[in-house]
Amino acid sequence: MLNFYDFEVFSHNWLVVIINPVNKTKTVIVDDTEKLREYFYKHEKEIWVGYNNRRYDQYIMKALLLDMDPKKVSDWIIVDNKGGWQYSSLFNQINMINFDTMLRMDTGLKSLEAFMGNDIRETSVPFDIDRELTDEEIADTIFYCTHDVEQTIEVFLARKAEFDAAMGLVKIFKLPLSYMGKTGAQRVAKILGGKGLKFYNSKGESDEFEFPIVDTLSLRKYKHVADWYRNPDNHDYKKKQEVMIAQIKHILAWGGIHGAIRKYSGTGIYLMIDVTAYYPSLQLRYKFGYRNMAHPENFEKIHGENLRFKELGDKIARLPYKIADNAISGQLKDKFSPLYDPRENNAITVNGQLLLVDLIEKLEPHIEALIQSNTDGILIKLKSIKDYELIDDIVWEWEKRTGMRMGFDIYTKVFQKDVNNYLLVNAEGKTKTKGAYTKGLSSVDNDLPIINKAMVDYMTKGIPVEKTINNCDELIMFQKVVKLSGKYWRAWHNGKYMSEKCYRVFATTNPKSTYIGKCKVKGATIEKFANTPDHCFIFNENVKNEPCPKYLDKQWYVNLTKERLAQYGVEVR
């Protein structure tokens, strides 16, 4: 059973809204600790779902159950920016299973609500009010708190795959249900039996730079790339090497290889060659990371099932294994993880880079061009389709020697801004994209969607930018979402300071409307929000099914689309 909840805390009042969508019940509790305690212990063994509840709401709940002042705990977390768990060890007495819908890259629930097109107007009741709230203020706060819980449910449904994957791991490895309240990293560490050991060399220092370079590496032309890692003078995470590989400048350091032709567009026969589950495959083949795992057999099961379900095309069954498989190598570099082993992480990342350089070295004499290299794969252009079998043979030899497995995809068009931003098109017109400008947007990641659509339509179908933009009459397609960070005091627009944090912004033809800005203190310099128009209007109400007004400045979106296309090597008149 799932209980979706959200707390609001003031100096002299607190309230919580709890919605159970299965039972279709809503519970509102205001300043009544006994009622809260009764509800909680009735549902103690159920899962409590919130947004940012792992950091905030669960500690407000625990504070109230322990008869602590929730305002002091709230200020500890928000004002002092300290972890709720640090406030009191008594919190450990409360067993609460929390699942947080917030992801690391999120900027807040209001931003997600804005992306979804929902009403993002906020309560007018200030949280720093130093008196008891009036009945009207409490009613207003309940209304907006209820709205936030409903939005949390919507976000949960949009991201249900994350919940299903977590539950899948709990069931597969028979973890206690309480592990639904842990982070993905904590679940993985438990499954693999992280030992929490520290490893030292003969000098009593960390052995993190004493990683092996695998004997299956076969470099000649680019042998100096591997020698750089062997040099103790380079054993510094701030250092990196810049080298020319296959006529492209590459950067290799301690995370991954990156190199690409910037502002490139072209047609021909292109091969995207990706290593399947590269880092986990390196771990398995060379037993990297095993020395801090009590149960490496669980890692091998996770990795094996990830690959098996990928071959079967079963995305649902694969998801928990895929997420866990991809998370493991990162745990080796996390100081707070019981799997922490920086030497083994270095072994994975360094050898991963070097083996890709190895592959490029073998392919370079037989291809027209290397287009990009990026951590777990490369994109190359063939001289002719006749060369495909030769390239396949070279890659097969590399696979056999290194123990890796490769995937091939053929494309006929490439549009590339840089190594992290590109769009590829195959003969059937299907695309592969990376980067914010051209990726397919979701309901919880819906910023300037008309720009993405206009760019993709032009690159894949040759549809003029003006046609895509001018023919669209959905206002939500033109939204730009901005959010005030904690570093700033107020947003500013049309000569007025505004108290809300999140805004849905649109370009306007009205020259009297100003840009939207922000300032750190009253009277300070107004800084313009990035990537917003010089003249804009704000629409924070529900924007779904809202048509475009006549004063929407569509030419601003046309110009921005063409600017971004130029960054991909595409010149549009």
Side-chain angles (χ1 to χ4, degrees), residues 62 92 115 230 248 455:
K62 292 178 179 181
N92 295 327
F115 290 144
R230 294 187 175 99
I248 293 179
M455 290 182 68

Side-chain angles (χ1 to χ4, degrees), residues 484-499:
L484 201 68
S485 75
K487 296 179 180 179
Y488 292 87
W489 172 67
R490 288 283 192 273
W492 177 94
H493 182 242
N494 286 344
K496 297 179 180 179
Y497 293 113
M498 301 179 294
S499 59

Side-chain angles (χ1 to χ4, degrees), residues 192 284 287 290 295-305:
L192 302 188
L284 178 64
K287 301 297 185 285
Y290 277 43
H295 300 294
E297 70 278 5
N298 284 344
F299 159 63
E300 294 173 2
K301 176 179 179 178
I302 287 170
H303 183 59
E305 292 295 85

